[in-house]
Amino acid sequence: GTTGAESMLLATAILWGTYPPALKVLFAQEGAPTDPLLICAVRFAIMAAAASFTFVPLRDVGSKVLSGRAGLAAFELGALGVAGTLLNTASLASTSAIRVAILLSLVNVFTPLLAALVGKTAEERTVKVPSIIACIMALFSTLYALSDKGAGGDSLGIDGLTLGDLEAMAAAFAYSSTKVRLGSLTKEIDAPSLNSGRFLGQGIIACAVLAAHLLTTQTSLQSEWPHSNDLSQWAILAFTALISGMLSSILQAKGQQTVTPAVAQPIFSTVTVWSTVFSALVLHETITPSEIVGGLGIVAASLVNSLRI
């Protein structure tokens, strides 16, 4: 039922919230990989390997997952997933996990707008008054949260705005695109094929881009990841791949079979809360006054968006 689907989406948001602090822990390790492309390729390769034995029999992957409509969906979702995660990872390299979490809540603005523009059904394209009000609230709350200077990253010459901020905002757009397209694709393609294709598509695209990067720059994997034999670093990457990434994506796809993107978004927006809590507990990061006010504004926007009017 709808309640069960919404519980799956809440679990998705909680698992998403573990990614920023986990990655920050990885960055703090000596000799850990710092190139966002390498990190994404390793994570997505782990997901693709696990997906190969989880959803669809290996012998049927070519015919059921990587061909026809399912194949197009696999590479569409794969490209969006790689883009979003690559940008998110890059932003975390220079910006606090809490600030990134707040910026990623711009999905509250992007998701309803994208659903209205490219939604497949009339229900998906409908943006109600509470959603419009929530979009405006979320936008201004995010801008206010950005008003503090010195949050890290290279300044872009705009008061308080850094390159890391811009990367996080672009990641939010990519994630919103994924949510909207997933909401439509779950009604066209069976869940096992869609899940398998999504993970395989991400793995193929990320590894191909990494290989091209290494060849064109003549860089070795050893120089990109000096301590690649450190099991603790592999454990962190495996956690972010299988728990923060794969399990959350499975729950998201299952939940969005019966819940529209506009209804799901208030639930997804709680990822800001979970990520902030995990970052404070694990990383002991502090929250600036403007980030507190901006975060509360985003939560209020989510509540407004959830009104059934």
Side-chain angles (χ1 to χ4, degrees), residues 36-247:
L37 182 55
L38 175 58
I39 292 171
C40 289
V42 171
R43 291 182 65 245
F44 287 140
I46 293 173
M47 291 187 208
S52 299
F53 302 96
T54 305
F55 304 105
V56 176
L58 193 58
R59 64 178 182 277
D60 296 331
V61 167
S63 59
K64 292 185 177 181
V65 177
L66 298 179
S67 62
R69 184 70 185 92
L72 292 175
F75 285 96
E76 178 185 356
L77 293 177
L80 289 172
V82 170
T85 305
L86 188 60
L87 289 162
N88 187 8
T89 304
S91 69
L92 285 165
S94 62
T95 307
S96 75
I98 289 175
R99 189 175 176 89
V100 170
I102 292 173
L103 287 165
L104 287 177
S105 64
L106 276 173
V107 292
N108 291 297
V109 178
F110 296 143
T111 300
L113 293 177
L114 286 172
L117 290 172
V118 301
K120 285 290 187 180
T121 66
E123 183 182 18
E124 290 177 358
R125 291 191 298 271
T126 300
V127 180
K128 297 182 180 179
V129 173
S131 294
I132 296 174
I133 296 173
C135 283
I136 297 171
M137 290 175 63
L139 177 60
F140 280 97
S141 296
T142 303
L143 291 174
Y144 187 78
L146 288 174
S147 62
D148 275 328
K149 297 180 180 180
D154 299 322
S155 174
L156 296 178
I158 304 173
D159 191 33
L161 189 66
T162 68
L163 178 60
D165 294 337
L166 191 61
E167 289 166 338
M169 288 186 275
F173 184 84
Y175 288 149
S176 294
S177 301
T178 299
K179 291 171 186 176
V180 172
R181 291 299 297 133
L182 189 63
S184 299
L185 292 170
T186 52
K187 298 175 179 61
E188 301 176 25
I189 302 167
D190 64 278
S193 296
L194 188 62
N195 281 323
S196 180
R198 181 180 182 180
F199 296 126
L200 289 171
Q202 289 176 159
I204 292 169
I205 292 172
C207 290
V209 174
L210 175 63
H213 167 72
L214 294 176
L215 287 172
T216 55
T217 60
Q218 296 185 333
T219 306
S220 68
L221 280 174
Q222 181 61 33
S223 64
E224 294 280 349
W225 189 358
H227 289 188
S228 58
N229 59 345
D230 189 327
L231 293 181
S232 65
Q233 295 177 16
W234 277 101
I236 295 170
L237 286 168
F239 174 85
T240 63
L242 299 177
I243 305 301
S244 306
M246 188 171 182
L247 180 57

